[in-house]
Amino acid sequence: MSRSGNEAIDQAASIAETTGSRNLPTWGDLPLPGDTANLREGADLHSGLLALLPMVGVWRGEGVGHGLGDDGDDLRYAEQIIVSHDGQNFLNWQTRSWTINSRGDFIAPLFRESGFWRISEDDSIELIVAHAEGSIELLYGRPLGQTAWEVATDALVSSATAPKLHGAKRLYGIAEDGSFAYVEERLVDGELTPRLSAKLDRYAG
């Protein structure tokens, strides 16, 4: 069942009672605006990023790595995603994830990414991601609506020591309950296969 605009606004206001006072820590001694993950604080969001505005924030939750366990089983992980800006025409993208057990307890570090989102006047999205494992990936796509975005790999470069990685398609969206969810599929034997899926709640912003 779809929600009315008033229901969505009321829900966002309810969430903001907890998260609206939180933001990224800052050093405060640089001669330019600091990064902010809270649209109520810091530099104004660049007008060119309005189609990506709902992403801005700090998000925390859990996901599943499909077939990524030691025996080919599914792997449980937790994750923090930070989407921030400094008033320029791009979003900063940082992710950290770690494996967890059935109780949600930490086991070991997992994936880590850093990158940037851009969107052009014709709504073409560009996402460039550096994987800590040794790959750099360029993905292009478009918004699927006001709160959903899809991108797919256009170029992928890996270092000599990086694990073998193939192209991907990623779908991101804001769910009806206000959470940030995504699904990543990667090419396996020429076919897109589910690899990661997660649902994260807003922690700050």
Side-chain angles (χ1 to χ4, degrees):
M1 179 182 296
S2 61
R3 299 169 300 165
S4 70
N6 288 338
E7 288 174 329
I9 292 171
D10 290 344
Q11 185 177 54
S14 177
I15 294 171
E17 289 179 4
T18 301
T19 66
S21 62
R22 297 178 182 151
N23 197 8
L24 302 177
T26 59
W27 296 105
D29 58 353
L30 294 177
L32 72 170
D35 293 338
T36 177
N38 190 327
L39 294 171
R40 302 168 184 82
E41 300 180 18
D44 291 336
L45 185 74
H46 192 284
S47 60
L49 297 174
L50 293 178
L52 301 176
L53 178 152
M55 285 190 196
V56 176
V58 178
W59 307 88
R60 293 181 176 178
E62 295 185 7
V64 176
H66 303 281
L68 297 184
D70 292 337
D71 299 322
D73 298 329
D74 288 348
L75 175 151
R76 288 189 63 194
Y77 67 93
E79 185 170 34
Q80 173 178 276
I81 295 177
I82 299 175
V83 185
S84 61
H85 75 97
D86 65 358
Q88 298 186 75
N89 196 12
F90 58 84
L91 296 180
N92 305 309
W93 174 260
Q94 297 178 9
T95 77
R96 299 187 73 175
S97 59
W98 54 97
T99 54
I100 56 176
N101 61 22
S102 59
R103 299 185 303 275
D105 299 327
F106 170 83
I107 298 176
L110 191 59
F111 306 118
R112 190 163 185 172
E113 296 179 351
S114 182
F116 302 96
W117 288 78
R118 295 179 176 83
I119 185 166
S120 64
E121 292 183 0
D122 67 354
D123 281 347
S124 296
I125 295 173
E126 172 188 306
L127 171 61
I128 185 167
V129 173
H131 301 271
E133 295 81 16
S135 299
I136 298 175
E137 190 168 10
L138 176 61
L139 304 100
Y140 286 107
R142 301 186 68 83
L144 298 182
Q146 293 183 340
T147 57
W149 310 269
E150 185 177 77
V151 291
T153 304
D154 181 74
L156 179 61
V157 179
S158 298
S159 70
T161 59
K164 188 66 174 178
L165 200 61
H166 298 282
K169 181 172 72 173
R170 295 183 177 189
L171 174 63
Y172 295 95
I174 306 298
E176 286 197 355
D177 62 1
S179 60
F180 185 45
Y182 70 84
V183 175
E184 180 193 270
E185 298 177 308
R186 284 210 175 262
L187 287 170
V188 177
D189 297 327
E191 298 288 336
L192 282 171
T193 302
R195 180 172 180 262
L196 301 173
S197 57
K199 188 175 182 182
L200 301 92
D201 296 322
R202 183 180 290 277
Y203 178 78

